[in-house]
Amino acid sequence: MTALARPTHGRMIGGVCAALARRFGTSATTMRVIFLISCLLPGPQFLLYIALWILLPSEDKAKTRAAW
């Protein structure tokens, strides 16, 4: 598994689904479909997406921190 960071390439909106897909070894499209299907269920999916968008560092920033 790789570090959880939003990639700079392959993003659709915020890169959250692409980051989760990379982390768990699946395609970004599969993760996006899973997210869209989960939105049909009751729960705070959009709030979780926004929170991850804010909390997950961008890949560029993660590399800069790793260099320290």
Side-chain angles (χ1 to χ4, degrees):
M1 284 197 222
T2 61
L4 196 54
R6 295 181 296 116
T8 54
H9 301 290
R11 291 182 177 185
M12 280 291 219
I13 298 175
V16 174
C17 288
L20 292 173
R22 185 182 292 176
R23 172 71 180 200
F24 294 114
T26 185
S27 72
T29 303
T30 303
M31 192 60 70
R32 290 178 185 126
V33 169
I34 290 170
F35 174 73
L36 288 175
I37 291 171
S38 76
C39 288
L40 298 174
L41 302 171
Q45 290 86 348
F46 289 113
L47 294 176
L48 181 63
Y49 188 92
I50 292 170
L52 287 174
W53 191 351
I54 292 169
L55 295 174
L56 290 180
S58 182
E59 197 172 48
D60 294 339
K61 293 179 183 176
K63 287 181 183 178
T64 304
R65 286 187 196 166
W68 284 85

